Amino acid sequence: MERPGYFRKYVIFEQLDPGFGAHRSPDGFARLEGYRDGVALALQIRFLKDDGLPYTVILIYDKDSGLGVFRVGTLQVVSMVGSFRKFLDNPTLKSLELKPEKIKYILIASEQKDKIYIPLIACCKKAEQWDESLRDRLLHREKTAEDREDRKEKDKKGEHKENKESKENKENRENRQAEAETANHRDNNGTKSSNNKVDDVKLEKMLKDTFEVMDPFSNPRHDYSWYKVNDIAKLSNILYTCNLTIPLFANPKILVGLFKYRHLLAGFYRSDINNLTYFVLGVPAKDETDGKPFENVCRWVSVENSEFGDMTGYWLVYISLRDGEFVS
């Protein structure tokens, strides 16, 4: 049973202005969670270029007196990974005339003296299209009441800035460590190592060190091992580090499964017959008619007495660690 006043909403970021990707186009998601005393905003971004310039998190929303623009804070980017968390209490929301259901866009912006670039945009309403005229509004930031409120809040909390940054760095530490491992697989030009073989030993060790071991099925087998994944950014970084590429962020059905049931399965299958090893991704779903993430390469496996609400099983996807190909 949900608590009164509680809600959760996820939106996916898409590239708007090119040129800010590191090795590929950046992507990610934003999560809005409502509580009795306010709203929490959390962002997870990957493959975003870190060239020393700050990125600003901006909300654009409808309000009674027109369109609202609120610069929430600065996105910290370390080794291509960006994380951001901010809690907006009810008095702040009221002063800004900001209602969560009225948010139109969440932007990741690179603001310069006379230009504003928007590497990533998340449209909070499906039918919403980006209005390019909003760039001019964003350029004249000194004229917005929301910006004055933002500066006031920064002044008020300036004495806590150092502690806040320390906390954010701590929250990002594991992602930075995973990305640091990735750097070891690149040459001096910043590209991936020419040795693209999947490192299954390293992969299993990193999964075991990062995630909780679990036994999701009623018939445990010695040839399978399973891990409960509750952070898709960490999983993505680990897979990339070990030369295994799966479009986790780009597949909305994977994200829906994670967001609805608060976990994914990551596992290994080691065949006793042909000495093959497979990485297995498990996407939770309500039933076998719901949320099939990959149409032709999925298999449905049910579970009994699930502890995750109305979930009754997983869509399993097998990837060969010999060649990195999906197994149908």
Side-chain angles (χ1 to χ4, degrees), residues 55-275:
Y55 294 99
T56 307
V57 180
I58 303 176
L59 300 182
I60 297 180
Y61 58 98
D62 289 318
K63 59 181 185 178
D64 294 339
S65 57
L67 199 65
V69 176
F70 179 47
R71 287 167 170 81
V72 191
T74 301
L75 177 72
Q76 301 293 330
V77 179
V78 179
S79 299
M80 304 186 298
V81 175
S83 296
F84 180 85
R85 289 178 176 84
K86 180 80 170 182
F87 185 80
L88 304 175
D89 58 25
N90 286 332
T92 299
L93 295 174
K94 184 177 180 180
S95 69
L96 296 171
E97 300 179 52
L98 198 167
K99 297 179 180 179
E101 66 273 15
K102 296 293 186 179
I103 297 175
K104 296 164 68 73
Y105 312 105
I106 304 174
L107 309 179
I108 305 297
S110 175
E111 299 183 283
Q112 302 177 19
K113 184 176 181 180
D114 56 353
K115 292 182 180 180
I116 182 166
Y117 297 98
I118 305 172
L120 289 168
I121 178 173
C123 297
C124 297
K125 299 178 181 179
K126 291 184 178 179
E128 199 73 54
Q129 297 292 325
W130 170 246
D131 183 356
E132 192 61 32
S133 67
L134 290 174
R135 279 187 203 264
D136 292 334
R137 171 70 183 271
L138 294 172
L139 278 172
H140 295 84
R141 55 175 297 172
E142 69 283 358
K143 297 182 180 180
T144 66
E146 291 79 8
D147 188 48
R148 291 195 296 272
E149 179 67 29
D150 188 31
R151 290 199 298 270
K152 180 180 178 181
E153 182 179 344
K154 287 180 180 179
D155 291 340
K156 181 179 179 182
K157 297 183 178 181
E159 61 190 72
H160 302 296
K161 181 179 179 181
E162 185 173 343
N163 290 336
K164 178 183 175 183
E165 290 178 345
S166 177
K167 181 180 178 181
E168 289 175 345
N169 287 336
K170 181 179 180 181
E171 290 168 345
N172 288 331
R173 185 175 302 154
E174 292 182 349
N175 279 349
R176 294 201 303 270
Q177 289 173 343
E179 285 297 328
E181 294 283 349
T182 304
N184 292 332
H185 286 264
R186 298 177 188 156
D187 59 23
N188 293 330
N189 294 323
T191 58
K192 288 185 70 176
S193 168
S194 58
N195 179 12
N196 289 323
K197 182 180 178 181
V198 177
D199 190 337
D200 61 308
V201 175
K202 182 177 182 179
L203 176 56
E204 186 163 20
K205 183 180 185 302
M206 292 184 72
L207 289 174
K208 190 173 183 178
D209 291 344
T210 306
F211 301 114
E212 175 187 348
V213 176
M214 71 178 299
D215 184 13
F217 305 108
S218 57
N219 57 338
R221 293 168 46 173
H222 75 279
D223 49 352
Y224 279 92
S225 57
W226 298 106
Y227 304 92
K228 181 181 178 182
V229 174
N230 51 20
D231 189 322
I232 196 171
K234 290 180 182 178
L235 176 60
S236 181
N237 289 335
I238 289 172
L239 296 179
Y240 186 82
T241 296
C242 299
N243 288 320
L244 185 59
T245 302
I246 304 174
L248 298 177
F249 282 91
N251 191 317
K253 292 181 179 179
I254 293 177
L255 296 177
V256 168
L258 170 66
F259 300 154
K260 187 174 182 181
Y261 299 109
R262 300 190 177 186
H263 77 291
L264 298 172
L265 277 185
F268 278 86
Y269 169 66
R270 300 185 184 277
S271 174
D272 294 332
I273 300 174
N274 53 18
N275 198 31

